[in-house]
Amino acid sequence: MKLLFAEDEKELSRAVATILRRSGYEVDTAYDGDEALRLAGMHYYDALILDIMMPKKHGMEVLRTLRQEGNVTPVLMLTAKSEVEDKVAGLEEGANDYLTKPFAVKELIARIKAMTRSREEMTPELIQVGGICVNRREQTLEGAGGSVSLNHQELELLEYFLRNAGKAFTRAQIKERFWREAADDLVVEVYVSYLMHKLESVRAKAAIHKDEAGNYQLLI
Amino acid sequence: MTKEAFYGAYLPELERIFQELMDQAADLRREQEQEQTADRSPVEHYKGRIKSADSMLAKLKRRGLPPTMEAALTKNHDAVGIRIICNFTRDVYEVAQRFKEQNSVAEEKDYIQNPKENGYRSYHMIVRFPCGIGGVQEILAEVQIRTIAMDCWASLEHQLKYKKHVTNQALIGHELKRCANELASADVMMQTIQELIEDEREAGETA
């Protein structure tokens, strides 16, 4: 994992960067806001650690610019201040986390890990149950009768059903969870139908049923 | 070699069988056009052919069979072939059912329920026709029924089969499989949408 560490206090920067590198991170350092922005624009980083008090451009300005440019890299802000207003301002500006100085590098590392923990790490790539295999990376549904593609929405919905096998959901519940902005709940009927038929097409053991009340349930 | 030269006395028989199958497909298409819900013809289009001598000889060679007309007609089953293209998967099965009712079926292979490893999907039927000329008792013909999406994919895959770029083969095969998955997905989704529309229409009519 590659980090950008922007901190104007050179001794602190050197010390922290050394420990980070020993922990297995690749670290680029910047000593002012302009340099931080320049590097962030040139390289891909998994996370950015920005000190608020930096010469040329302070951390908040750097953060604001990055977010305005559409950079969604996780950012952790460092500051000597511990005022609630500063924390709130930083987080609202788009920072993912905040650490006040002095800090233990151990805590910094733990927060970096938490910040960069991707959704993919938390959910397995393959879900195998009910005579089917759902491959999240390839976005496919495979069964005894071949494989078929799933779009992102179908993938999320199917996973939800599989994790909650046996539970019955109302259309309203599913709409609330996945299509909050939709004008009406017909889209739920359409997508559940897609899944019903795709499961059938690959001859899955798992199937989605609709009862008289219009509730949906996946049974394995 | 011309067809006349290769198939000899059996060519008129093959032409008769070919015409019979093409007529059956035409009837299906015409029949649906006349129905009330006429915008729903299960047969989108159909085509057929009597296999050329060159193609047949090449196929016999590939299969390790003797390059004779007898082998072509008795050991092979696609001297006469017809392909019917449908809009939806459900239509494929409907057409298959109709053909079964009207012909003597020797074998059926459902590659839609059981797609091939490479992603190929279609419904194959081998139909038998009595012959009685010379030593040949019956002639087999192949009927392939598939959706537009399956047909599109099969044409592309056909191109790959006959051009061996050793380096790209694996990658292209993998990507073709991905296409097959996406086309199958589209087929299922379109069928679903079509059924939803039909349900709404029926509900509207009975209301």
Side-chain angles (χ1 to χ4, degrees):
Chain A
M1 270 226 233
K2 194 169 172 184
L3 309 172
L4 173 61
F5 186 54
E7 162 66 61
D8 64 321
E9 242 193 271
K10 293 211 169 98
E11 296 237 340
L12 176 61
S13 171
R14 215 181 344 256
V16 174
T18 304
I19 301 175
L20 289 174
R21 284 183 189 120
R22 274 209 211 110
S23 304
Y25 293 99
E26 204 186 312
V27 184
D28 283 352
T29 53
Y31 301 123
D32 63 66
D34 278 348
E35 180 68 8
L37 268 179
R38 191 184 71 83
L39 286 170
M42 267 176 53
H43 304 288
Y44 171 79
Y45 295 103
D46 293 286
L48 312 171
I49 302 141
L50 306 177
D51 188 20
I52 287 198
M53 293 303 201
M54 282 194 287
K56 297 205 185 148
K57 268 203 179 77
H58 59 72
M60 289 284 276
E61 253 189 277
V62 173
L63 174 62
R64 197 175 301 130
T65 308
L66 287 171
R67 291 298 185 243
Q68 268 168 16
E69 284 172 354
N71 191 321
V72 297
T73 310
V75 171
L76 186 148
M77 305 294 289
L78 296 174
T79 184
K81 295 189 199 174
S82 58
E83 305 290 350
V84 173
E85 287 79 14
D86 294 309
K87 291 185 188 176
V88 169
L91 291 169
E92 293 212 327
E93 205 67 71
N96 297 74
D97 204 355
Y98 204 99
L99 205 51
T100 53
K101 297 177 189 176
F103 57 84
V105 184
K106 213 161 61 170
E107 189 178 351
L108 174 65
I109 291 174
R111 286 180 183 273
I112 291 170
K113 280 206 186 119
M115 205 167 60
T116 56
R117 196 175 293 143
S118 63
R119 237 195 123 250
E120 277 65 45
E121 278 165 32
M122 297 196 284
T123 50
E125 188 176 297
L126 292 180
I127 301 173
Q128 286 169 301
V129 72
I132 52 167
C133 175
V134 179
N135 187 323
R136 305 189 82 256
R137 195 160 64 107
E138 295 291 308
Q139 289 196 200
T140 56
L141 165 64
E142 194 168 340
S147 53
V148 76
S149 288
L150 297 171
N151 66 35
H152 184 75
Q153 200 78 82
E154 287 170 322
L155 191 58
E156 301 276 290
L157 185 57
L158 179 57
E159 210 191 325
Y160 188 68
F161 270 115
L162 288 170
R163 286 187 192 285
N164 293 287
K167 270 212 269 190
F169 294 101
T170 64
R171 226 188 250 198
Q173 280 175 312
I174 297 177
K175 179 186 182 305
E176 176 64 26
R177 177 89 170 69
F178 293 102
W179 285 283
R180 196 164 295 176
E181 310 294 313
D184 61 54
D185 62 13
L186 181 61
V187 64
V188 175
E189 172 72 11
V190 173
Y191 271 79
V192 174
S193 296
Y194 285 158
L195 287 184
M196 260 185 210
H197 292 127
K198 286 190 181 182
L199 286 166
E200 271 167 27
S201 78
V202 299
R203 291 192 285 130
K205 289 204 191 72
I208 295 177
H209 301 272
K210 187 176 169 185
D211 65 26
E212 311 84 40
N215 299 325
Y216 307 109
Q217 188 182 29
L218 181 143
L219 295 172
I220 295 177
Chain B
M1 195 191 292
T2 62
K3 283 180 191 168
E4 289 78 10
F6 184 72
Y7 293 114
Y10 290 92
L11 188 57
E13 270 300 286
L14 294 177
E15 281 167 347
R16 183 183 66 78
I17 292 169
F18 174 70
Q19 200 52 56
E20 169 64 33
L21 287 171
M22 293 290 270
D23 286 345
Q24 285 185 32
D27 285 343
L28 263 178
R29 198 168 192 287
R30 206 173 305 125
E31 187 187 290
Q32 302 305 323
E33 279 169 3
Q34 285 164 4
E35 281 193 359
Q36 294 293 60
T37 51
D39 42 354
R40 275 275 302 122
S41 177
V43 176
E44 169 58 31
H45 69 268
Y46 58 93
K47 54 188 170 188
R49 88 303 173 250
I50 294 172
K51 212 176 182 77
S52 72
D54 289 341
S55 295
M56 184 55 87
L57 286 167
K59 183 156 185 187
L60 289 169
K61 186 172 177 188
R62 249 193 342 265
R63 291 187 60 194
L65 293 167
T68 63
M69 177 266 299
E70 285 80 16
L73 296 183
T74 58
K75 295 284 192 315
N76 223 22
H77 52 242
D78 67 346
V80 177
I82 169 172
R83 187 174 290 155
I84 299 173
I85 314 296
C86 304
N87 288 303
F88 303 104
T89 310
R90 196 170 64 177
D91 298 335
V92 171
Y93 287 104
E94 205 179 295
V95 169
Q97 185 54 36
R98 296 296 294 270
F99 264 80
K100 263 203 279 197
E101 286 164 7
Q102 292 165 192
N103 298 284
S104 172
V105 177
E107 198 183 334
E108 286 170 87
K109 281 182 254 187
D110 186 346
Y111 292 113
I112 298 175
Q113 288 254 310
N114 295 290
K116 289 193 185 175
E117 190 60 43
N118 62 359
Y120 178 83
R121 282 173 165 86
S122 268
Y123 194 98
H124 292 192
M125 275 167 69
I126 295 167
V127 180
R128 54 165 78 91
F129 289 90
C131 186
I133 299 179
V136 179
Q137 295 288 71
E138 60 180 28
I139 294 178
L140 302 174
E142 184 173 68
V143 178
Q144 289 181 353
I145 314 166
R146 40 168 86 144
T147 62
I148 297 170
M150 293 170 195
D151 189 50
C152 176
W153 187 92
S155 304
L156 184 57
E157 197 264 340
H158 192 83
Q159 281 184 42
L160 171 68
K161 232 201 297 218
Y162 296 102
K163 302 210 169 167
K164 311 259 187 246
H165 303 295
V166 180
T167 39
N168 291 334
Q169 198 93 348
L171 175 65
I172 289 178
H174 185 84
E175 291 306 313
L176 261 179
K177 176 90 190 263
R178 188 198 299 281
C179 273
N181 288 339
E182 301 205 4
L183 290 169
S185 165
D187 266 341
V188 172
M189 288 164 85
M190 288 196 289
Q191 172 91 57
T192 304
I193 293 167
Q194 200 265 319
E195 283 170 18
L196 284 172
I197 294 172
E198 225 169 65
D199 288 347
E200 297 248 320
R201 179 158 47 184
E202 276 164 23
E205 281 166 7
T206 55

